[in-house]
Amino acid sequence: MKIAYKTDNGIFYKGKIEKVLTSKKFDKYKGKINLIFFSPPFPLNRKKKYGNLQGEEYIDWLSSLSILFREFLAENGSIVIEVGNSWESGVPVMSTLALKSLLAFLEKGEYHLCQQFVWNNPAKLPSPAQWVNVERNRVKDSFTYFWWMSKTPFPKADNRNVLTEYSKSMKSLLKSQKYNSGSRPSEHNIGEKSFLTNNKGAIPSNVITAANTQSNTSYQKYCIEKNIIPHPARMPEALPEFFIKFLTDENDLVLDPFGGSNTTGAVSERLNRKWISVEPNIEYIKGSIGRFEKLSKYDFEISNI
C-alpha cells in the first residue's frame, strides 16, 4: 500500500484492495466511508488484460470483500456495485455466475438491497460477438446492473439531488395549472392538485442511459501526450456522478476500490467530496493524472512506487 498521488480532496493508493483494507494504515477509515462505489472485474469465461477470476473462485473473492467493506462503511453509508453480464463458454446461454456473486456478496456482508439500477449503454459494441454478429441468434447485450445496498434499510439518500429537467408537457401543465384529475384505469386516483407544485425537476427512474464514446477528454489527451495506453473499460462520468449526488453530501468520503482511470475520484473532486481510490496497475494510475488539471498542468510524475 503506497500513495501514488494526492489532490485537495483525495488520495490514490497503489495496491490491491485486499491488502489495502487489511493494512493498519487504513484502519483510520473504519466506519467513516459514506459511499463505496465500484466496478470489479466481471466474472468472465476468458481472462482480459485488466484481470478477472472465474467460477466459484470469483464468488469467494467478491464475497470476502463484502465482509471487509462492512468495517469501513458508515452506519448510514451505501455500497453501489456494478455487476456485468457473463455468458457460458461455447453456447449462447447466459451464466448465472453474476447473480450468484451478488447474492453471496449480500449474504456475507449482511446488507440490505435498497434498489436495482440499469445502465443502458447505447454505444456498447455488439456482444457476445459469436452469437450476435456471426450466428445472429441473439441480440446485442447493451446494459449492466448497478446494485445499491447498505447496512440499514434507511441509508442517507435524497432524490432531490438528482432531479432531471421536466418534460415539455409537464412544463406546460405547471404553467397552465390544469390537468385531468380523477381515477385512472390503473386504479390510481389523481388528486386535483397532485401535479401543480413545481419541485424544480422530475424524479429520475432507475434506468441510466449514458454512452462512453467520448474521444477528446482531458484524460485521453493526456494519455496520448504521455504515450500511456488508456484503461480498456472506462466508465462515463454520469454514472458515479448520479450516485455520488444521490447518496452523499459535500465533504462525505467516497471509496473506489477498483480505481482504474479514477473516474470516481475525479467526479468526487469536482463535487467537493473526499475520496479514496485504490488500483494496483501503475499504468492506469499514471493515465488517471490527466483527469486532474492541477496535477497534469505541472507535469506531475509518479515515482518511487
Side-chain angles (χ1 to χ4, degrees), residues 74-125:
E75 286 304 311
N76 65 347
S78 293
I79 295 177
V80 176
I81 175 175
E82 181 187 14
V83 177
N85 300 322
S86 59
W87 294 74
E88 297 290 350
S89 179
V91 291
V93 176
M94 291 190 71
S95 170
T96 59
L97 185 58
L99 293 175
K100 290 177 180 176
S101 302
L102 173 72
L103 291 174
F105 189 96
L106 279 165
E107 291 171 2
K108 287 285 184 69
E110 300 182 342
Y111 299 117
H112 297 273
L113 182 58
C114 297
Q115 196 164 15
Q116 170 189 14
F117 290 79
V118 173
W119 169 29
N120 173 38
N121 181 3
K124 190 174 182 181
L125 293 173

Side-chain angles (χ1 to χ4, degrees), residues 147-158:
W147 302 89
W148 168 30
M149 58 192 76
S150 64
K151 290 181 177 180
T152 168
F154 300 98
K156 180 189 294 187
D158 191 341

Side-chain angles (χ1 to χ4, degrees), residues 14-25:
K14 179 186 181 297
K16 289 189 174 182
I17 186 58
E18 300 93 324
K19 292 186 177 180
V20 171
L21 291 175
T22 54
S23 168
K24 290 293 184 182
K25 294 180 181 179

Side-chain angles (χ1 to χ4, degrees), residues 249-268:
D249 298 319
E250 287 195 6
N251 294 312
D252 277 357
L253 182 57
V254 178
L255 168 67
D256 186 342
F258 301 93
S261 66
N262 207 14
T263 306
T264 302
V267 173
S268 298

Side-chain angles (χ1 to χ4, degrees), residues 58-203:
Y58 182 90
I59 295 174
D60 293 341
W61 168 75
L62 192 63
S63 61
S64 68
L65 286 180
S66 72
I67 300 171
L68 293 174
F69 287 153
R70 188 176 179 87
E71 289 187 72
F72 294 90
L73 191 66
E75 286 304 311
N76 65 347
S78 293
I79 295 177
V80 176
I81 175 175
E82 181 187 14
V83 177
N85 300 322
S86 59
W87 294 74
E88 297 290 350
S89 179
V91 291
V93 176
M94 291 190 71
S95 170
T96 59
L97 185 58
L99 293 175
K100 290 177 180 176
S101 302
L102 173 72
L103 291 174
F105 189 96
L106 279 165
E107 291 171 2
K108 287 285 184 69
E110 300 182 342
Y111 299 117
H112 297 273
L113 182 58
C114 297
Q115 196 164 15
Q116 170 189 14
F117 290 79
V118 173
W119 169 29
N120 173 38
N121 181 3
K124 190 174 182 181
L125 293 173
S127 67
Q130 177 64 31
W131 314 120
V132 176
N133 295 45
V134 181
E135 302 291 341
R136 305 297 286 266
N137 55 15
R138 294 293 183 270
V139 297
K140 184 171 73 169
D141 186 359
S142 65
F143 76 92
T144 61
Y145 288 115
F146 279 80
W147 302 89
W148 168 30
M149 58 192 76
S150 64
K151 290 181 177 180
T152 168
F154 300 98
K156 180 189 294 187
D158 191 341
N159 65 27
R160 289 169 295 189
N161 295 331
V162 287
L163 298 178
T164 60
E165 185 179 1
Y166 280 131
S167 64
K168 289 184 178 179
S169 59
M170 186 62 188
K171 289 177 181 178
S172 177
L173 184 154
L174 290 170
K175 185 176 182 180
S176 67
Q177 292 287 291
K178 295 179 182 179
Y179 66 94
N180 295 323
S181 59
S183 60
R184 297 288 190 270
S186 62
E187 298 185 4
H188 287 91
N189 187 37
I190 309 301
E192 294 182 2
K193 297 182 179 181
S194 299
F195 294 100
L196 297 183
T197 302
N198 187 341
N199 291 306
K200 300 180 180 180
I203 298 172

